[in-house]
Amino acid sequence: MNDNLKITDVSTVKDQMVSIDIKDLPILPLDVKPMPWKPFTDAQKENTACILDEVCALNIPMPKSPAEEEELVNKFLTGMCKLFSKENNWTCLPMLETSMDNCVQCNSCSEACHLYEMSGKNEMYRPNYRSEILRRIYKQYVKKEPLAKWRYGDMGLNWKTVARLGELSYRCNLCRRCAQVCPIGVDNGLIAREIRKLFSQELGIHPPELHDKGTMLQMRVGSSTGLTPEVIKDTVASFDEDFSELTGVKFTTPFDVQGADVLLIHNAGEVVTWAENVAAFSIIFQEAGLSWTMSSKMLAYDGVNYGLFYDDTQLARIILKHMEAAKELGVKKIVIGECGHATKAMSVIGDRTVPYDMQVPRESCYVTLRDIVMSGKLKLDPSRNFFPVTLHDPCNIVRLMGIVEPQREILRKIAPKFREMPCNGVHNYCCGGGSGFAIMTRNNLEQWRNNISGRKKMWQISEAFKECLGPETKKYICAPCSNCKGQIRDILGVNKLFTKNSLAYGGLVELIVNAMTNVNPFSIWEGCGEMEMVDWATEAREIWEAQQAQETGNNSEEKK
């Protein structure tokens, strides 16, 4: 641990500032083994500013001369001035200014932060450590307050300060659990995100997964997955054919239906990785009699918007394309599939970035699905889901949008053995892949997701299933968010928890379809060695029927 770490170390320490010893990581009930950090190569050290810790997210070029050092600092200061001007940051300026002016260093944020706790309480992971660096720079170099260095503390500003602050903004999942507990409303998650925005928009520095392979690819070909309009239609058509045969229900996913009530926009990662999720939506919407469609227009078939994590300009460009497609089709509303960041980007942030006359009403699929399930339009048999189920709450939908109950109403109706995780609802912890990390695996980022960012979620899961944690009981983690599923899958996989603990994961719609009496159970459950859901469902039904028979017998004995 680095108990003696100081704020000013970011500008003075010569080489790597902090080291996270995996021996300091908390032990979990689940066998989540710490992954050793891979040392940086000599070439990386020479060419990249790997000077914060064992992880490198931004690949900031190492300055080769005093002139390059000065250029980096000057660009950063120019970006800082824009960050605090209404003309350049009208989306977030009021909240940012409030967070700059009102921290009392009570450290409530640290106690709420999963990264601080799971790093072994390393000082660098206090949310206000990063924020205080930016705060001092703001007071001393941007506002230029009189006596700022004596009132707030001196902060040396050099290339090392800038490089480390950029990296520090990527030691945060942007879950904003810290903001929720702050007694005066300081939002350290927002501060981290605004630092990311500064680096992207002013310095042109961003993770390639979010920018080159993310928003830029999406705007060039139509999807961050690389799927083109022609490929998306062909792929979904193949899903329709395969799952119609598997489920016994003939269905066709509609595309480009003019005047439909609903435009459904998936995270295209579902199309690439979780075909059963896409098929489940189509089955549910068809059987409920919805008037709906998907779009094959560029960008409108992929709700992914990585701009949310790092760049307002990229964010707005993608949202506008979503709205344009909805307007052209004349739909009444957009329903966003199981993706947390897509829901927040298209809804809450869309309200801030899209002109009012271009906006189309948007709705989380949780609400749509709840209305369908509770309407009685689907014939459901909860005994088909008679196995332990717990629910992961995606931060962007639950804590940051307040959509807490619809998904729970569904699970209480269709999953008899549903149980909450500790610290659930708005108090939930991030999966560990939030703010883009679910798709990052280079430069020890995969190790970081396993060792630190995803560790608290594994604790939550182990607590939810603590009475049946062994391999003899098959268990389902309902994670209705594409990025969250990817993060949970990776940690379960690398630690072999699918088989060690019979843990499976998936979305909400898969459970709904599995409970529909006119549909053959169809999903593949990774948690049981690729066991087909039909085998699990048959076993579950037998257990359910045996218990029901026993209860009936007991009631008869009592009447006698």
Side-chain angles (χ1 to χ4, degrees), residues 218 221-223 227-230 232-233 255-256 263 294-302 320-329:
Q218 188 171 6
V221 305
S223 169
L227 294 173
T228 63
E230 296 77 16
I232 194 79
K233 292 182 73 173
F255 271 90
D256 305 318
L263 170 61
M294 287 180 63
S295 172
S296 64
K297 184 180 173 66
M298 285 274 288
L299 279 79
Y301 52 86
D302 187 2
L320 283 168
K321 291 297 183 181
H322 292 149
M323 297 297 178
E324 284 177 9
K327 283 282 189 181
E328 287 178 12
L329 288 171

Side-chain angles (χ1 to χ4, degrees), residues 147-207:
L147 307 177
K149 64 174 65 177
W150 290 279
R151 293 178 65 188
Y152 308 111
D154 191 14
M155 174 53 64
L157 182 57
N158 54 38
W159 78 269
K160 292 192 289 288
T161 314
V162 174
R164 286 180 175 134
L165 186 59
E167 279 294 330
L168 279 167
S169 70
Y170 286 89
R171 300 302 182 275
C172 173
N173 284 122
L174 307 186
C175 77
R176 296 168 78 183
R177 198 172 191 268
C178 54
Q180 183 172 266
V181 302
C182 179
I184 53 177
V186 172
D187 193 338
N188 292 294
L190 173 72
I191 292 172
R193 197 270 178 180
E194 292 300 282
I195 297 170
R196 294 182 179 192
K197 180 167 73 180
L198 188 163
F199 271 78
S200 178
Q201 295 186 182
E202 195 63 33
L203 282 76
I205 297 173
H206 22 237

Side-chain angles (χ1 to χ4, degrees), residues 79 104 106 133 173 338 345 374 377 430 449 539:
V104 296
C106 69
I133 296 168
N173 284 122
E338 291 186 358
M374 297 304 170
K377 293 178 180 177
C430 176
R449 288 165 51 200
E539 180 184 346

Side-chain angles (χ1 to χ4, degrees), residues 92-111:
C92 297
L93 182 59
M95 294 180 289
L96 180 60
E97 287 183 326
T98 298
S99 294
M100 284 291 100
D101 291 337
N102 294 309
C103 181
V104 296
Q105 303 296 320
C106 69
N107 279 307
S108 297
C109 55
S110 299
E111 296 307 311

Side-chain angles (χ1 to χ4, degrees), residues 220-239:
R220 189 169 67 252
V221 305
S223 169
S224 59
T225 63
L227 294 173
T228 63
E230 296 77 16
V231 171
I232 194 79
K233 292 182 73 173
D234 290 345
T235 303
V236 173
S238 71
F239 294 168

Side-chain angles (χ1 to χ4, degrees), residues 247-281:
T247 63
V249 175
K250 176 69 177 175
F251 68 92
T252 302
T253 300
F255 271 90
D256 305 318
V257 178
Q258 198 72 31
D261 290 343
V262 170
L263 170 61
L264 174 64
I265 304 182
H266 287 290
N267 177 320
E270 303 291 336
V271 179
V272 172
T273 310
W274 295 289
E276 65 274 12
N277 186 275
V278 179
F281 267 100

